[in-house]
Amino acid sequence: MRPLSVKDIAAAVGGRLVGGDKNVTSVCTDTRKISTGCLFIALKGLRYDGHDYVDAASEYGAAAVMTQREFQISVPQIIVEDTRAAYMSLASWYLSGFNIPVVAVTGSVGKTSTREMIAAAIGIKYHVHKNEGNLNNDIGLPATIMTLDDSYTAAVYEMGMNHAGEISRLSKLVRPDVGVITNIGISHIEHLGSRENIFAAKMEILDGMDPSAPLILNADSEFLAGVAYPDSVFFGVNVSADYMARDIVTSDTGVAFTCVHGENETKVELPVMGVHQVYNALAAIAVAGCFGISEEEAAKGLSDYHNTGLRQHIEHLGGLTLIEDCYNASPDSMKAGLDILRSIGKHRRIAVLGDMLELGDYSDEAHRVVGEYAALRADLVLTTGDRAALISERAGENGAQALHFESKEKLTECLKNLLSDGDTILFKASRGMKFEDIIDALKKMIG
């Protein structure tokens, strides 16, 4: 982060400054992460209030604080009406001081992988700033932006949402030079009610974009295929598009395809599993094209791509192969994970599946659909979670051996006892299920 004066920050967010001026060199909202020179912003949420920790922030060495009321402390204070809104304003003002191109990525599935692939593709020519982990909401994105410094020459920011209006606010914050929508699925349909509403919410990405800025869209996604936009760029696998994939080949080590763009045909090799990754790569190559980077250069950058966090990490443990995909789950990503299980499993294929959250009225049917698909891709289906019982039930009805467990602990114990050398096991559920607990416990049991 560039050093900023408290006086300039107060002016940028329309706050009232109490106390003298001072420079700050970082921003945080958690007193456990305060360091010398930090601006502590007291955010108020449903279950917490950062104002309860303002005194502690001052004692721990914060250079200044931003609050919604005045405190009797020795460090400068910036008093604002709403600290959450002021944090967004601060990040937007700070970002505007950098003359770098910004890419924004949203969509129902594949946002993070696409973000990382874009960073890899354009990283051939740029030093890319991006979100870490899932810092993609109105707190995480400002936190990300406030770590930007002069070493970076481009930015790729993922934007997440649960409700209408959120993407609009985030887009206005970053003012993207290029926008990307990966697809329109049913993630978060519980809050938005329909895929039409999800589509409308994702299209809010345009709210912060100049009308002449390119918008990268998935031509295979039902709602996106018909979007009429002045500078739309489409990518796809099954339909004609500006960037198309053909000759897709999967292997134990990754997926390869030929990218067709106009008269150019470029071989692309991705060191990650799953045909769904082809879509993410095509989006990245399309973005690279907006930056004047050739398909060949983008392909070279993508060859160094790797999954992050809990996404489709493949690990070999003794004679077992574990596919750890515990970050999030929707029907589409469940199917993608099951496809990988089918493609790399050489002996017995075991699917350990849990609840898909935030699907609202679509939840029961979505879990049944996954159960049917699991029966085609797995030899054994093990589930835990209230909703996941429907997965094992439907998988069993379609001929698979399927078992449901009341707890993760009981599932883990059963899994340990039935595993044998050569088995391939997929672990997949929504983040709230914390399926990494099963993986960690299993590894300890196996030793």
Side-chain angles (χ1 to χ4, degrees):
M1 175 180 162
R2 289 174 177 168
L4 300 172
S5 74
V6 174
K7 182 179 179 180
D8 287 344
I9 292 173
V13 301
R16 176 171 62 92
L17 179 59
V18 176
D21 196 11
K22 208 171 197 178
N23 276 359
V24 299
T25 55
S26 64
V27 174
C28 75
T29 59
D30 186 337
T31 54
R32 293 168 296 184
K33 298 179 181 178
I34 285 178
S35 58
T36 302
C38 176
L39 168 67
F40 174 71
I41 300 180
L43 298 179
K44 189 173 183 179
L46 294 175
R47 301 181 184 86
Y48 67 90
D49 188 348
H51 292 82
D52 295 337
Y53 303 94
V54 169
D55 290 329
S58 175
E59 293 172 6
Y60 293 166
V65 299
M66 182 185 293
T67 63
Q68 293 175 188
R69 62 179 185 273
E70 189 172 340
F71 286 77
Q72 297 302 311
I73 54 178
S74 60
V75 301
Q77 303 170 61
I78 301 170
I79 315 300
V80 297
E81 183 176 341
D82 184 334
T83 50
R84 199 172 186 126
Y87 195 13
M88 293 270 284
S89 296
L90 171 60
S92 184
W93 169 74
Y94 181 71
L95 179 59
S96 69
F98 292 82
N99 185 25
I100 61 173
V102 176
V103 181
V105 183
T106 191
S108 295
V109 180
K111 293 186 295 295
T112 301
S113 295
T114 301
R115 177 195 78 200
E116 294 296 320
M117 286 198 184
I118 293 169
I122 69 173
I124 289 289
K125 290 190 175 181
Y126 293 87
H127 183 206
V128 183
H129 191 247
K130 56 188 174 66
N131 320 64
E132 295 297 331
N134 63 340
L135 298 177
N136 63 8
N137 61 9
D138 64 346
I139 297 176
L141 187 52
T144 295
I145 290 170
M146 297 309 299
T147 64
L148 181 64
D149 62 40
D150 291 308
S151 69
Y152 294 99
T153 54
V156 181
Y157 295 137
E158 173 188 339
M159 302 191 304
M161 53 151 276
N162 291 314
H163 299 82
E166 292 176 345
I167 295 296
S168 178
R169 289 190 290 274
L170 295 177
S171 182
K172 291 174 182 176
L173 188 165
V174 303
R175 297 178 297 279
D177 298 290
V178 180
V180 180
I181 305 179
T182 60
N183 47 53
I184 304 297
I186 61 172
S187 297
H188 309 305
I189 201 167
E190 178 179 16
H191 303 297
L192 290 161
S194 68
R195 289 186 72 201
E196 287 81 4
N197 290 343
I198 293 172
F199 167 66
K202 298 301 184 185
M203 289 298 291
E204 290 172 8
I205 194 173
L206 297 175
D207 292 354
M209 293 172 57
D210 187 278
S212 63
L215 180 64
I216 314 298
L217 300 166
N218 185 343
D220 284 350
S221 185
E222 177 186 357
F223 287 87
L224 299 177
V227 169
Y229 179 77
D231 192 2
S232 57
V233 180
F234 287 94
F235 62 92
V237 173
N238 300 312
V239 299
S240 178
D242 299 294
Y243 291 85
M244 294 182 60
R246 72 180 189 199
D247 304 328
I248 300 172
V249 178
T250 61
S251 69
D252 292 346
T253 57
V255 58
F257 65 95
T258 299
C259 174
V260 180
H261 175 54
E263 299 296 321
N264 295 332
E265 296 187 5
T266 306
K267 185 75 171 179
V268 182
E269 295 184 353
L270 303 174
V272 286
M273 303 298 301
V275 173
H276 64 288
Q277 299 284 10
V278 173
Y279 286 97
N280 304 333
L282 286 172
I285 295 169
V287 170
C290 297
F291 284 70
I293 297 172
S294 70
E295 292 88 73
E296 291 79 9
E297 291 171 312
K300 182 179 179 182
L302 288 169
S303 67
D304 292 328
Y305 167 81
H306 60 87
N307 278 324
T308 61
L310 298 169
R311 294 174 179 81
Q312 292 176 355
H313 173 68
I314 298 176
E315 181 175 348
H316 298 285
L317 185 65
L320 306 173
T321 300
L322 310 184
I323 307 170
E324 304 170 13
D325 196 358
C326 311
Y327 179 72
N328 225 328
S330 67
D332 287 340
S333 66
M334 280 280 200
K335 290 178 180 179
L338 289 163
D339 284 341
I340 293 174
L341 175 65
R342 181 68 179 178
S343 67
I344 72 172
K346 303 304 181 187
H347 298 285
R348 188 169 54 161
R349 304 173 178 93
I350 302 172
V352 179
L353 308 176
D355 289 352
M356 298 178 289
L357 306 178
E358 296 186 16
L359 296 182
D361 293 340
Y362 292 78
S363 181
D364 287 358
E365 181 59 23
H367 285 83
R368 292 189 183 100
V369 166
V370 169
E372 288 184 21
Y373 202 80
L376 300 173
R377 295 292 186 269
D379 303 302
L380 174 61
V381 178
L382 307 180
T383 61
T384 187
D386 295 340
R387 300 166 180 84
L390 295 171
I391 296 177
S392 56
E393 178 182 303
R394 184 58 62 89
E397 292 171 354
N398 283 268
Q401 183 182 358
L403 300 170
H404 183 72
F405 298 86
E406 296 177 357
S407 68
K408 291 185 290 187
E409 292 75 17
K410 290 183 179 179
L411 187 155
T412 305
E413 185 64 32
C414 175
L415 183 59
K416 179 204 170 195
N417 293 329
L418 61 79
L419 287 176
S420 59
D421 283 357
D423 287 347
T424 300
I425 310 100
L426 166 69
F427 299 88
K428 182 72 176 169
S430 279
R431 185 72 191 90
M433 294 296 292
K434 297 184 178 179
F435 258 34
E436 64 271 21
D437 294 344
I438 299 176
I439 298 169
D440 293 342
L442 181 63
K443 288 178 180 178
K444 289 179 181 178
M445 289 180 179
I446 295 174

